[in-house]
Amino acid sequence: MDIQKYLDRICFVGKIEISLACLTKLQHCHQLHVPFENLDVFSNRKKVLKVEDLYEQIVNQHRGGWCHELNGLFSWLLRTLGFNVKIISANYFNPEKRKFQGDYDHMTLVVRLAEQDYMSDVGFGNIT
């Protein structure tokens, strides 16, 4: 798997450094260029969360995916670049209902930088 091809897919231009500014830019680029999508539901395609399969779908086929797919591949990118990444289970707050929604069925990332944890999430779709 080619890191530069992934960076090209998300249109990232710049120096890679282990910093909050770089993490923010990587996340921003990913969110602008890789959609949250669930097209496989309609084709009954089996979900396989192997990083090689995610890379094929998102980078080579220029598709999007669900939180598990998007954050799964993004965590691989960050780790490969040298970031300290942890995958966690999460749920979300629905501001219209003013409460947290359901079980912990969302996957997101925690990135540790300079003794501080930051949540990074490129896989959150519309909840309405």
Side-chain angles (χ1 to χ4, degrees), residues 62-113:
H62 283 253
R63 289 195 43 209
W66 290 2
C67 65
H68 296 79
E69 296 166 313
L70 300 175
N71 283 321
L73 187 60
F74 193 59
S75 71
W76 170 82
L77 175 68
L78 293 177
R79 282 188 182 116
T80 303
L81 295 173
F83 286 88
N84 180 349
V85 182
K86 180 171 42 173
I87 296 173
I88 64 168
S89 175
N91 68 354
Y92 59 92
F93 185 78
N94 184 327
E96 291 176 7
K97 295 182 179 179
R98 301 181 52 92
K99 67 178 188 174
F100 284 94
Q101 292 295 116
D103 296 324
Y104 290 86
D105 62 354
H106 180 63
M107 185 179 105
T108 191
L109 309 174
V110 174
V111 180
R112 186 145 186 93
L113 293 166

Side-chain angles (χ1 to χ4, degrees), residues 110-121:
V110 174
V111 180
R112 186 145 186 93
L113 293 166
E115 305 301 317
Q116 181 71 39
D117 289 334
Y118 297 92
M119 188 177 89
S120 180
D121 193 340

Side-chain angles (χ1 to χ4, degrees), residues 24-97:
T24 301
K25 186 174 178 181
L26 286 164
Q27 179 174 315
H28 180 77
C29 289
H30 199 289
Q31 289 177 303
L32 284 177
H33 299 285
V34 182
F36 179 91
E37 56 119 296
N38 60 357
L39 297 174
D40 292 334
V41 170
F42 303 104
S43 66
N44 291 320
R45 180 176 168 255
K46 182 179 177 183
K47 293 291 181 184
V48 178
L49 298 178
K50 290 175 26 185
V51 72
E52 297 84 5
D53 293 342
L54 300 176
Y55 183 92
E56 176 62 29
Q57 175 179 318
I58 295 166
V59 177
N60 290 337
Q61 295 178 12
H62 283 253
R63 289 195 43 209
W66 290 2
C67 65
H68 296 79
E69 296 166 313
L70 300 175
N71 283 321
L73 187 60
F74 193 59
S75 71
W76 170 82
L77 175 68
L78 293 177
R79 282 188 182 116
T80 303
L81 295 173
F83 286 88
N84 180 349
V85 182
K86 180 171 42 173
I87 296 173
I88 64 168
S89 175
N91 68 354
Y92 59 92
F93 185 78
N94 184 327
E96 291 176 7
K97 295 182 179 179

